[in-house]
């Protein structure tokens, strides 16, 4: 599993290099705009926070591209010629799928660290900007709140990707090499599962509304996100159900790969 | 002499078609088997089932006594009829990949085969011609000391000279403790290497037997028998 993940990372080395160079260039470009800026009470923090917020959006785009490439290359393996190489290996379905999840986690960690590095680099190159932003962002980025939030988001993203992998594999196991028909099946499966999970999530949250099943560990969340109206609460049951669904999708996909593969 | 492959009433159905219907056959150790038939006769499906890439609908398949799966992939070396290597890989990286995942991959043998084929480790798969890719893929497949070799149209991109060179190299490297199933449309070039021949048509075995016996019984070459069986369309 680890060897296969390493091989997939090697295949994407050019993409990573280009992506990281673009992000570094963007960070430097943003920094040059604020070099020499001094802390000025007249310069409002919400304006300055726009800089790290822009960087965050860029990193989310970087992450989105990497995630899309992950699912596209998996689909290409299933429907294309390289599938003979990957699915012909003496590995169980769970190991092949696990390697994809490892790559996804590495992408996530790279994005989180990259995002933090961008903010730190911005603060070093443009100390004035750093002074403006620190009270709003600094206390959140370096606390457990940030990492707990990241773990939660990661769990939901991995579950979402597992459901995507299940949809693609299910489509392939039904119709052999008819790619377009398989894609339609895959899209239908993914949409049905997501729609059902949304309905089930709403039902769960409504049914257990009086039970106070919420998470509110976000005391340090920047006021710009929570609008300064006190700690924000996150629902607990619906994401938990979604993660459970992701685990189920992983198990079913691995089973389909082992027993019902039709390359 | 043990049996490497055993098929019993093997059937594969897709939603609209039946690719294989009640195929029963054995492949003995040390034998090179020619799997012949026109396009759409079920050769590739049969090979994919043996390579554990397609699941059968019914019937039984045993490779060295094992049901196709993770364990058999470790002892079956499959060459598909398309380029299955990633374009970004160099020949050396492809070798590393095989060595990482297949315990029976012999780097020394791989290097020897590359030398015979005139390939360099540094060449990138994406920059190779079709014939060169074909040679690299054959080196990888035969770099393994597998129990069963399955080759689907291995000479597609090769010129006649290279074809002869590759064939000689393959037969020289063929061991008596393994078996080979080879599908090709270039029957005349390879028929002298066949121990057994299986003729498939529309998913059914229409003729099978020891190559020499078939030649004697019918008084013609395997290519001649092919023309008789399929009506002189596909053979070259």
């Amino acid at each position: 599993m680890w060897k296969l993940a390493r091989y997939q990372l090697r295949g994407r080395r050019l993409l990573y290099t280009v992506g990281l160079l673009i992000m570094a260039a963007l960070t430097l470009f943003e920094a040059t705009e604020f070099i020499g800026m001094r802390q000025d009470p007249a310069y409002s923090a919400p304006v300055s926070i726009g800089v790290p917020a822009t960087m965050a959006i860029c990193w989310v785009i970087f992450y989105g591209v990497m995630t899309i490439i992950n699912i596209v290359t998996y689909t290409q393996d299933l429907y294309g010629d390289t599938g003979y190489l990957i699915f012909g290996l003496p590995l169980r379905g769970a190991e092949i799928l696990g390697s994809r999840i490892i790559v996804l986690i590495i992408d996530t960690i790279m994005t989180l660290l990259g995002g933090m590095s961008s903010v730190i680099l911005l603060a070093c190159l443009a100390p004035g900007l750093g002074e403006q932003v620190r009270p709003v962002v600094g206390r959140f980025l370096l606390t457990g709140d940030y990492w707990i939030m990241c773990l939660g988001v990661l769990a939901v993203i991995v579950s979402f990707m597992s459901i995507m992998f299940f949809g693609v594999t299910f489509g392939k196991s039904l119709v052999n090499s008819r790619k377009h028909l398989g894609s339609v099946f895959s899209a239908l499966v993914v949409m049905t599962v997501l729609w059902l999970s949304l309905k089930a999530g709403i039902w769960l949250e409504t049914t257990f509304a009086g039970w106070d099943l919420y998470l509110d560990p976000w005391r340090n969340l920047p006021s710009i996100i929570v609008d300064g109206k006190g700690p924000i609460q996150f629902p607990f049951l619906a994401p938990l159900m979604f993660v459970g669904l992701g685990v189920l999708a992983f198990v079913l996909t691995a089973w389909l790969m082992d027993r019902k593969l039709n390359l | 002499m043990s049996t490497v492959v055993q098929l019993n009433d093997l059937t594969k159905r897709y939603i609209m078609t039946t690719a294989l219907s009640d195929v029963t056959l054995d492949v003995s150790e040390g034998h090179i088997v020619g799997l012949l038939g026109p396009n759409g006769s079920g050769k590739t499906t049969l090979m994919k089932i043996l390579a554990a890439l397609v699941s059968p609908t019914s019937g039984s398949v045993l490779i060295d006594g094992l049901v196709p799966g993770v364990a058999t992939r470790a002892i079956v070396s499959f060459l598909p009829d398309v380029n299955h290597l990633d374009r970004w890989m160099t020949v050396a990286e492809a070798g590393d990949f095989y060595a990482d995942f297949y315990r029976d991959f012999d780097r020394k043998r791989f290097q020897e085969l590359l030398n015979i084929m005139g390939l360099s480790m540094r060449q990138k798969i994406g920059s190779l011609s079709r014939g060169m890719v074909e040679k690299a893929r054959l080196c990888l497949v035969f770099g393994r000391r597998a129990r069963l070799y399955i080759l689907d149209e291995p000479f597609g991109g090769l010129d006649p000279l290279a074809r002869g060179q590759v064939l000689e190299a393959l037969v020289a490297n063929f061991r008596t403790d393994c078996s080979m199933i080879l599908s090709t449309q270039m029957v005349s070039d390879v028929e002298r290497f066949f121990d057994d021949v299986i003729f498939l048509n529309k998913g059914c075995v229409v003729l099978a037997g020891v190559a020499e016996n078939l030649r004697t019984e019918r008084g013609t070459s395997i290519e001649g028998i092919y023309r008789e069986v399929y009506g002189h369309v596909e053979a070259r």
Side-chain angles (χ1 to χ4, degrees):
Chain A
M1 182 167 77
W2 296 100
K3 280 180 188 170
L4 192 57
R6 194 183 65 191
Y7 155 79
Q8 282 161 359
L9 290 172
R10 263 164 84 180
R12 290 162 70 172
R13 61 195 162 190
L14 180 68
L15 201 71
Y16 281 129
T17 310
V18 171
L20 292 174
L21 280 175
I22 290 173
M23 294 311 297
L26 261 172
T27 306
L28 288 173
F29 173 76
E30 287 282 356
T32 53
E33 299 284 300
F34 292 89
I35 286 173
M37 173 191 166
R38 293 183 183 282
Q39 190 175 8
D40 180 1
Y43 206 126
S44 66
V47 175
S48 307
I49 198 91
V51 180
T54 307
M55 287 313 303
I57 290 167
C58 290
W59 278 104
V60 167
I61 292 169
F62 169 84
Y63 183 63
V65 170
M66 290 301 169
T67 309
I68 289 168
I69 287 169
N70 199 343
I71 192 80
V72 167
T73 50
Y74 178 77
T75 310
Q76 280 174 346
D77 280 349
L78 264 183
Y79 286 94
D81 301 340
T82 50
Y84 296 116
L85 187 67
I86 303 300
F87 295 102
L89 295 172
L91 296 175
R92 291 193 308 273
E95 292 176 284
I96 294 173
L97 200 56
S99 72
R100 289 277 166 183
I101 302 293
I102 289 171
V103 172
L104 178 69
I105 292 170
I106 288 171
D107 284 349
T108 312
I109 292 170
M110 196 186 290
T111 305
L112 293 174
L113 292 177
M116 283 183 78
S117 305
S118 283
V119 173
I120 293 167
L121 193 68
L122 273 170
C124 290
L125 291 174
L129 177 73
E131 288 295 316
Q132 292 273 351
V133 168
R134 189 184 298 153
V136 189
V137 177
R139 69 174 183 181
F140 178 63
L141 279 186
L142 300 174
T143 60
D145 282 16
Y146 176 69
W147 295 108
I148 290 169
M149 188 183 81
C150 291
L151 272 178
V153 171
L154 178 63
V156 171
I157 289 171
V158 168
S159 304
F160 176 76
M161 286 295 280
S162 292
I163 292 167
M164 295 287 280
F165 288 135
F166 170 71
V168 175
T169 315
F170 184 72
K172 179 66 180 172
S173 67
L174 276 183
V175 292
N176 188 28
S177 57
R178 291 182 178 82
K179 186 172 181 177
H180 300 300
L181 201 55
S183 305
V184 171
F185 269 116
S186 306
L188 277 175
V189 169
V190 170
M191 282 192 290
T192 307
V193 171
L194 291 180
W195 183 78
L196 285 176
S197 68
L198 180 72
K199 288 285 173 192
I202 292 170
W203 178 80
L204 276 173
E205 294 301 334
T206 316
T207 308
F208 296 99
W211 291 47
D212 200 23
L213 289 168
Y214 288 91
L215 291 175
D216 56 349
W218 324 110
R219 284 180 293 275
N220 297 312
L221 208 63
S223 56
I224 195 158
I225 298 176
V226 297
D227 209 17
K229 290 175 184 169
I232 192 164
Q233 286 193 321
F234 282 82
F236 177 67
L237 276 178
L240 198 67
M241 182 212 67
F242 195 68
V243 170
L245 212 58
V247 173
L248 184 67
F250 184 96
V251 172
L252 285 174
T253 311
W255 182 82
L256 282 174
M257 278 187 196
D258 288 338
R259 303 288 170 85
K260 298 286 172 191
L261 197 62
N262 279 326
L263 280 193
Chain B
M1 190 185 294
S2 63
T3 304
V4 177
V5 177
Q6 278 181 300
L7 304 181
N8 264 314
D9 298 327
L10 177 69
T11 297
K12 177 63 191 178
R13 282 191 208 94
Y14 294 112
I15 293 174
M16 305 292 277
T17 53
T18 299
L20 290 171
S21 182
D22 295 323
V23 174
T24 297
L25 56 92
D26 289 348
V27 174
S28 301
E29 188 181 68
H31 280 212
I32 297 178
V33 179
L35 188 61
L36 307 176
N39 298 329
S41 57
K43 303 187 297 286
T44 299
T45 304
L46 177 56
M47 291 181 150
K48 285 181 183 175
I49 289 174
L50 293 173
L53 295 167
V54 166
S55 52
T57 308
S58 64
S60 77
V61 184
L62 290 176
I63 298 163
D64 223 14
L66 302 164
V67 175
V70 175
T72 62
R73 283 181 198 146
I75 56 168
V76 173
S77 192
F78 175 53
L79 181 84
D81 59 345
V82 289
N83 176 19
H84 65 300
L85 302 174
D86 274 315
R87 290 175 60 83
W88 60 264
M89 287 175 158
T90 60
V91 174
E93 282 173 326
D96 290 342
F97 182 86
Y98 266 64
D100 274 345
F101 291 100
Y102 297 106
R103 286 183 185 176
D104 58 6
F105 189 75
D106 184 342
R107 282 180 187 274
K108 197 178 158 201
R109 192 179 187 201
F110 175 58
Q111 182 65 65
E112 285 168 5
L113 286 167
L114 285 179
N115 292 341
I116 293 170
M117 306 279 186
L119 288 168
S120 150
M121 284 279 203
R122 289 182 184 176
Q123 288 171 299
K124 214 169 185 178
I125 300 294
S127 69
L128 295 175
S129 69
R130 193 178 159 209
M132 301 274 263
V133 171
E134 209 63 30
K135 285 180 179 180
R137 293 183 334 115
L138 280 162
C139 292
L140 287 164
V141 165
F142 279 93
R144 290 183 59 193
R145 295 195 174 274
R147 185 91 170 107
L148 174 66
Y149 295 93
I150 303 174
L151 312 182
D152 193 0
E153 297 290 347
F155 313 114
L158 299 177
D159 59 71
L161 204 68
R163 208 179 302 151
Q165 183 191 17
V166 168
L167 267 169
E168 294 302 329
L170 297 191
V171 173
N173 279 280
F174 188 69
R175 311 182 320 274
T176 51
D177 64 343
C178 64
S179 303
M180 187 194 298
I181 299 177
L182 196 156
S183 134
T184 182
Q185 299 291 332
M186 296 168 186
V187 184
S188 60
D189 286 346
V190 286
E191 70 165 271
R192 67 183 187 278
F193 300 112
F194 291 154
D195 295 304
D196 305 308
V197 189
I198 298 159
F199 290 90
L200 279 177
N201 195 22
K202 293 177 182 171
C204 300
V205 176
V206 288
L207 183 65
V210 176
E212 200 48 53
N213 293 351
L214 288 174
R215 282 190 200 102
T216 312
E217 281 167 18
R218 301 206 171 212
T220 181
S221 63
I222 297 297
E223 189 186 11
I225 299 170
Y226 188 105
R227 287 173 192 275
E228 279 175 19
V229 172
Y230 301 114
H232 66 76
V233 180
E234 298 284 341
R236 292 185 200 178

